[in-house]
């Protein structure tokens, strides 16, 4: 077994003033236990990233970092979004740690499996995924849509870990390799498996949110899912092509049918069917153009190469 490791826990935060006190308390207790067991060393850190919060999140992080040597803080210049904030934290700490664990601040992901993740890393795994063992705490709608999303991504050929979000351990080696991924359109749970290093999973029961409100309402979840699909698969574009070909075939058949009916003298008023056809084809065309535009928009963002995040302050001077 290797010597105790230098572990960094990276926690993106956006308007999390209600949970930071309890989250830091529980994580500090866990750190004390892991140090006592010889699992991690004194240089290990809990790094909270303030993603442009509008409440007292940064002032709380600042106070915690002054009170506890184990706590560090990163302040982004503006809101960059959850995925960018998480990436910013990981890339900032990758040269200081042996491995880093990403986890949300709301205490829904069980922190008590972190020792299992670290032990898996010690046993030779570069990536350890935290995977929910069930979705009993979700509503029927959320459970059905979430599981449907994972199945859909799998059907489109995207390598994604079922029921895994952004709770994972990555070794310094994995982080170094991941830093070579230049995408601006981030979907980390789909990107990390592309690294391809040795990996495993640990399973945990997801808790209720300790306090505050979810930062992923339905609208944002749908947008996130759509971003994930369009960032990793061109299957929707191929679906449009198939749909276009199908409509063309149907149109030819209907044209022949209409011509035959004309010759037989069976034509009559067909205003309703004509309008339905026009509206249907118009809707398909607009949907197709919108979907193609989504891909073009992603290309536009990629070629501009703007920074994904800007760090205003990094408080970690107690090493």
């Amino acid at each position: 077994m290797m010597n105790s490791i230098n572990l960094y826990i990276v926690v993106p935060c956006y308007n999390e003033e209600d949970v930071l006190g309890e989250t830091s308390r529980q994580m500090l207790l866990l750190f004390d236990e892991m140090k006592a067991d010889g699992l991690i060393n004194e240089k290990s850190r809990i790094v909270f990233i303030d993603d442009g919060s509008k409440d007292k999140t940064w002032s709380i992080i600042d106070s915690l970092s002054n009170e506890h040597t184990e706590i560090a803080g990163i302040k982004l210049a503006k809101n960059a979004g959850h995925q960018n904030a998480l990436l910013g934290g990981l890339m900032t700490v990758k040269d200081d740690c042996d491995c880093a664990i990403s986890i949300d601040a709301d205490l829904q992901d069980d922190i008590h499996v972190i020792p299992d993740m670290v032990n898996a890393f010690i046993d030779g795994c570069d990536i350890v995924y935290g995977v929910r063992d069930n979705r009993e705490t979700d509503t029927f709608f959320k459970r059905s849509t979430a599981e449907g999303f994972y199945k859909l991504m799998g059907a489109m050929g995207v390598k994604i870990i079922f029921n895994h979000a952004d709770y994972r351990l990555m070794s310094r080696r994995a982080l170094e390799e991941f830093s070579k991924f230049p995408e601006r359109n981030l979907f980390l749970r789909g990107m990390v498996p592309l690294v391809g290093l040795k990996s495993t999973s640990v399973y945990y029961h997801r808790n209720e949110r300790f306090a505050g409100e979810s930062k992923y309402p339905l609208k944002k979840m749908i947008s996130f899912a759509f971003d994930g699909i369009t960032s990793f698969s061109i299957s929707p574009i191929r679906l449009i092509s198939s749909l276009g070909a199908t409509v063309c075939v149907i149109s030819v058949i209907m044209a022949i049918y209409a011509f035959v009916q004309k010759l037989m003298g069976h034509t009559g008023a067909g205003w309703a069917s004509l309008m339905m056809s026009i509206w249907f084809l118009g809707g398909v065309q607009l949907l197709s153009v919108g979907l193609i535009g989504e891909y073009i928009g992603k290309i536009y963002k990629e070629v501009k190469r703007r920074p994904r995040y800007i760090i205003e302050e990094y408080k970690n001077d107690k090493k």
Side-chain angles (χ1 to χ4, degrees):
M1 178 176 176
M2 67 170 65
N3 296 327
S4 58
I5 66 168
N6 188 6
L7 169 68
Y8 273 55
I9 298 181
V10 175
V11 189
C13 306
Y14 179 70
N15 295 341
E16 298 287 7
E17 63 178 4
D18 294 332
V19 303
L20 279 175
E22 181 63 19
T23 300
S24 60
R25 186 188 71 82
Q26 292 194 25
M27 287 189 175
L28 286 170
L29 288 174
L30 178 65
F31 259 41
D32 289 341
E33 294 174 4
M34 295 174 71
K35 288 177 183 177
D37 292 337
L39 204 56
I40 62 175
N41 62 33
E42 294 294 330
K43 292 185 178 181
S44 297
R45 293 287 182 270
I46 303 163
V47 184
F48 293 104
I49 304 120
D50 176 28
D51 184 22
S53 299
K54 299 177 181 178
D55 60 5
K56 298 178 181 178
T57 294
W58 177 246
S59 62
I60 295 173
I61 294 172
D62 188 39
S63 297
L64 288 170
S65 67
N66 290 329
E67 294 171 11
H68 305 280
T69 57
E70 299 93 342
I71 293 180
I74 296 174
K75 187 179 190 300
L76 300 188
K78 66 181 185 66
N79 179 255
H82 178 271
Q83 298 289 278
N84 284 312
L86 181 52
L87 179 69
L90 291 172
M91 293 300 101
T92 301
V93 307
K94 69 180 177 67
D95 295 327
D96 299 327
C97 65
D98 295 318
C99 62
I101 292 177
S102 58
I103 186 172
D104 288 339
D106 54 19
L107 294 175
Q108 287 189 281
D109 297 320
D110 185 7
I111 66 171
H112 296 99
V113 300
I114 287 178
D116 296 332
M117 289 181 163
V118 173
N119 280 317
F121 163 71
I122 292 172
D123 289 338
C125 291
D126 285 289
I127 302 172
V128 184
Y129 300 101
V131 180
R132 295 178 62 172
D133 56 5
N134 62 68
R135 286 186 171 270
E136 294 176 355
T137 57
D138 291 346
T139 62
F140 173 77
F141 175 77
K142 186 174 182 179
R143 180 169 62 251
S144 300
T145 53
E147 292 180 349
F149 167 72
Y150 284 106
K151 292 176 182 178
L152 177 62
M153 292 291 283
M156 290 185 174
V158 180
K159 185 179 180 182
I160 189 169
I161 307 300
F162 191 76
N163 276 342
H164 162 71
D166 288 306
Y167 185 22
R168 71 180 72 86
L169 177 148
M170 297 180 72
S171 68
R172 181 189 294 186
R173 178 188 177 194
L175 290 170
E176 191 62 44
E177 294 301 323
F178 193 70
S179 68
K180 300 174 184 177
F181 286 59
E183 286 99 321
R184 264 56 186 169
N185 298 285
L186 297 179
F187 184 66
L188 298 181
R189 68 189 68 177
M191 294 170 64
V192 172
L194 297 179
V195 174
L197 297 175
K198 184 178 180 182
S199 66
T200 188
S201 298
V202 298
Y203 296 86
Y204 67 96
H205 181 73
R206 190 168 171 86
N207 305 312
E208 295 288 342
R209 183 179 177 86
F210 175 75
E213 298 179 353
S214 171
K215 304 305 183 293
Y216 273 89
L218 178 61
K219 181 179 179 181
K220 195 169 182 179
M221 287 177 62
I222 292 174
S223 176
F224 182 66
F226 190 65
D227 280 343
I229 292 172
T230 53
S231 294
F232 276 85
S233 176
I234 61 170
S235 294
I237 295 290
R238 290 175 176 168
L239 180 62
I240 287 178
S241 300
S242 300
L243 181 60
T246 302
V247 170
C248 287
V249 172
I250 294 174
S251 299
V252 171
I253 295 173
M254 293 304 296
I256 295 173
Y257 173 77
F259 181 70
V260 171
Q261 291 296 306
K262 177 70 174 177
L263 293 178
M264 297 177 64
H266 294 163
T267 55
W271 183 85
S273 59
L274 177 62
M275 293 304 296
M276 288 178 62
S277 299
I278 292 174
W279 280 102
F280 172 73
L281 291 176
V284 169
Q285 289 171 348
L286 289 174
L287 177 63
S288 301
V289 170
L291 186 55
I292 294 171
E294 180 71 19
Y295 280 93
I296 294 174
K298 288 186 181 297
I299 296 171
Y300 177 63
K301 289 181 179 180
E302 293 290 343
V303 298
K304 286 191 295 185
R305 312 296 292 173
R306 288 178 179 171
R308 291 169 288 196
Y309 54 87
I310 296 175
I311 295 177
E312 181 176 325
E313 186 176 353
Y314 179 29
K315 297 196 62 173
N316 185 30
D317 54 357
K318 312 181 203 67
K319 296 183 181 179

